[in-house]
Amino acid sequence: MSWLLALPLLASWVLVGGVPAGLKAQVSQKGLEYGRQFGLKMVMSMLKKNPIPDIQGSHDVPLLGDVQYSVTRIQIDDLQLSDSAITFSKGLGVNLTIANGVVLLSANWKLRTLFGPDGGTVDIQVHQLSLSTLLGFGKEVSGRPRVWAARCRATIGDILLKFHGGNSWFYNRFTSVMEMLLQSQLNKQLCFELKKGVDDIAPVLHAMNVSIRIDPFAELDYSMVNRPVFGEDRCHMDLKGEFFTVGQPRTTVFTPSPFVLPQQPGSMLLLGISEFCANSAAAAYFFAGVLRRNYTDEMIPKGIPFHLNTDNVGMLIPGLEKAFPGMPLQIFVGARKPPALSFHPDGVHVMVFGSIEVCVVLPDGSLAPAFLLNIDGNFTGQFFLGPVSSGSSLGRLSGLVHLQNFQVYQGWSNIGDVKVEFLENALKVGVQLGLLAVNQHLKKGILLPNVHNISLVNPQITMYQGLLLVATDLRYELPAAL
């Protein structure tokens, strides 16, 4: 009877002092109720996929003597749980109650009486199914969730049997005895099987992913850092919310600062993204080497009347042509350190610390460093979230980025002082042109990676000092395997 586990799964699987978190999630009663609604679909899928254990035994029946019976190939035909409710239990977990539930089943039956063996099919109607259970939630050391049945009460008020085939016309006269027997047996097993089923979830949760690879360079760790906190109408969960570079040892660069989610009722889920989370993403890409590029003359399109050599660049920096006349160049552009992000009511502020190193390619192929320029830029951005039509993506991120300040200064030089004023203006124009392309791309939107077949519905981003808040409803699509 482990199929009875399916009933408490009407609760949502989205969980919500301690260790500071990079991400905070809050699930509302509205979100929990949605979990109950799609949970019924999950229950039916599970029941169709997983066989119900056979029932067998024996009982002394008047006129029939010792009756040995077995009920096999039990199949759920209908499940009616319209009178059900799911609520948060403050400080404890999630309460699930079912009243007047109806389950319609069909199966094969076999009997052995003093008249010999017999068999056929049987329709089973379970009425007045009542269940009340408290599911407790916690966390493992690994940051994965734990769930257990902390309390359970369950009864079946009535069972109706109707036999078909064989001598069913005769056995149907004695169904009341079999119904009482089956009802008594099930009432003893309901809570035991439910708790056993909940325990069977442990291996699934233990193997659950608590990180997601964003791309070949960065992955996000969203494991739990504290136990979920349950209120009367919501559940809070603290997540690590830290990005790491793929393929490198996980080293924490920053320390998260405590923060509190603002009250914003009406949505299923609130997700608070801290500056710690955003800056760990910037650091992950920096240490992956993504923020560094090398440029050579061969990379310039043939139609452009400009070559990356000392003759052309020397028009901007005369000392370069004088020191190395008519020689090709190689330029290294990259970040000196990870960008610094901060959240403000007017948007995301980004400070970029870059450099341009110019090297001369000597006849033997070796490089002679000529000079290095440091480039510091301040940018602001506004970002928006939009829904997608299917669960193939979490949502669509769009936005707009503006340049606020741009400064170029000499780091070092082997060719004398480099006059940076003209270069600064030229590079600023180049950055502005680059932002046009970036904003065109952001206007179209970027699809966010799929997370457990969940999509955002009516998402809204609100900026606070030190916090980016996403308020959204959710849509969950059952995996095709179910």
Side-chain angles (χ1 to χ4, degrees):
M1 298 300 293
S2 61
W3 60 273
L4 292 167
L5 160 67
L7 301 179
L9 290 181
L10 296 176
S12 169
W13 282 108
V14 184
L15 303 175
V16 247
V19 179
L23 293 173
K24 284 181 178 285
Q26 176 182 293
V27 179
S28 67
Q29 180 62 42
K30 179 182 178 181
L32 192 64
E33 176 61 22
Y34 176 71
R36 184 189 69 84
Q37 295 174 14
F38 83 72
L40 181 58
K41 298 179 182 179
M42 181 182 291
V43 167
M44 292 303 297
S45 297
M46 291 175 58
L47 293 179
K48 290 178 181 179
K49 178 181 178 182
N50 299 322
I52 300 174
D54 298 340
I55 300 174
Q56 56 187 2
S58 62
H59 190 71
D60 187 41
V61 180
L63 301 180
L64 297 178
D66 184 45
V67 176
Q68 298 179 8
Y69 62 90
S70 66
V71 182
T72 61
R73 304 190 67 172
I74 304 173
Q75 178 178 322
I76 300 282
D77 297 322
D78 193 16
L79 181 65
Q80 303 171 18
L81 302 176
S82 56
D83 191 3
S84 62
I86 187 166
T87 58
F88 292 113
S89 178
K90 186 175 181 179
L92 298 175
V94 172
N95 276 318
L96 171 68
T97 58
I98 296 173
N100 300 316
V102 177
V103 185
L104 305 182
L105 309 96
S106 57
N108 295 337
W109 61 271
K110 288 183 180 180
L111 292 178
R112 178 174 292 277
T113 68
L114 57 87
F115 300 109
D118 205 352
T121 62
V122 60
D123 296 328
I124 307 171
Q125 299 183 23
V126 177
H127 293 271
Q128 299 176 25
L129 169 65
S130 297
L131 183 145
S132 175
T133 185
L134 171 64
L135 297 179
F137 291 90
K139 83 171 194 71
E140 296 181 352
V141 176
S142 63
R144 294 175 172 84
R146 289 180 56 237
V147 62
W148 63 92
R151 185 174 64 234
C152 176
R153 294 193 301 273
T155 59
I156 292 175
D158 194 17
I159 290 182
L160 300 178
L161 300 177
K162 186 168 183 62
F163 293 92
H164 305 278
N167 295 312
S168 57
W169 62 270
F170 177 74
Y171 300 122
N172 282 328
R173 297 175 179 270
F174 301 94
T175 55
S176 58
V177 175
M178 301 180 192
E179 289 164 355
M180 288 188 295
L181 175 65
L182 187 59
Q183 179 181 348
S184 174
Q185 182 177 351
L186 288 178
N187 280 334
K188 293 177 182 178
Q189 289 183 317
L190 281 174
C191 280
F192 173 79
E193 293 294 339
L194 186 144
K195 292 180 178 179
K196 180 176 178 293
V198 172
D199 291 340
D200 289 342
I201 298 176
V204 178
L205 296 181
H206 185 73
M208 189 180 78
N209 288 331
V210 289
S211 65
I212 181 172
R213 180 172 291 194
I214 306 301
D215 52 32
F217 311 104
E219 59 183 340
L220 171 64
D221 185 334
Y222 56 90
S223 59
M224 300 166 58
V225 295
N226 296 306
R227 292 185 58 184
V229 177
F230 291 89
E232 294 179 353
D233 59 355
R234 68 199 67 182
C235 172
H236 298 271
M237 189 169 71
D238 293 341
L239 309 177
K240 190 175 184 66
E242 185 171 7
F243 286 83
F244 295 96
T245 303
V246 173
Q248 295 186 15
R250 291 193 169 189
T251 303
T252 297
V253 181
F254 309 99
T255 300
S257 300
F259 67 97
V260 178
L261 290 181
Q263 294 300 316
Q264 191 165 324
S267 298
M268 294 182 186
L269 174 70
L270 294 182
L271 180 65
I273 303 174
S274 68
E275 292 176 349
F276 163 82
C277 179
N279 282 298
S280 71
Y285 285 103
F286 173 80
F287 290 113
V290 178
L291 307 182
R292 184 173 179 84
R293 294 289 301 272
N294 300 343
Y295 295 94
T296 63
D297 186 60
E298 290 77 12
M299 300 170 66
I300 297 177
K302 294 182 178 179
I304 297 179
F306 179 87
H307 291 280
L308 205 56
N309 56 38
T310 57
D311 292 340
N312 283 263
V313 179
M315 292 185 294
L316 303 175
I317 307 170
L320 182 61
E321 183 182 16
K322 183 179 179 180
F324 300 96
M327 303 190 72
L329 296 175
Q330 187 167 350
I331 297 179
F332 300 89
V333 180
R336 306 195 310 273
K337 59 182 179 179
L341 291 83
S342 59
F343 296 146
H344 304 268
D346 65 341
V348 181
H349 293 197
V350 183
M351 297 180 63
V352 177
F353 312 96
S355 66
I356 296 179
E357 183 180 357
V358 177
C359 294
V360 178
V361 182
L362 300 177
D364 63 358
S366 61
L367 299 179
F371 63 90
L372 181 139
L373 301 178
N374 290 325
I375 304 173
D376 294 342
N378 292 337
F379 300 83
T380 59
Q382 290 79 40
F383 296 96
F384 313 94
L385 272 176
V388 292
S389 58
S390 70
S392 59
S393 172
L394 183 65
R396 186 181 299 273
L397 177 68
S398 58
L400 190 64
V401 179
H402 303 277
L403 175 64
Q404 299 297 327
N405 190 30
F406 191 83
Q407 182 182 8
V408 179
Y409 56 96
Q410 179 179 300
W412 51 259
S413 174
N414 292 325
I415 59 171
D417 289 340
V418 178
K419 304 298 182 182
V420 300
E421 291 79 6
F422 181 78
L423 283 174
E424 181 174 283
N425 292 329
L427 289 171
K428 186 180 294 186
V429 171
V431 170
Q432 295 284 17
L433 292 174
L435 284 180
L436 289 176
V438 170
N439 285 328
Q440 284 292 336
H441 187 59
L442 286 176
K443 185 178 180 180
K444 295 178 181 178
I446 302 170
L447 290 178
L448 300 176
N450 175 267
V451 180
H452 302 306
N453 295 323
I454 295 173
S455 299
L456 306 182
V457 178
N458 300 322
Q460 293 183 341
I461 292 179
T462 305
M463 301 300 304
Y464 295 90
Q465 193 69 34
L467 172 66
L468 186 154
L469 181 69
V470 178
T472 184
D473 290 342
L474 302 173
R475 180 176 65 248
Y476 176 77
E477 294 189 6
L478 288 173
L482 291 178

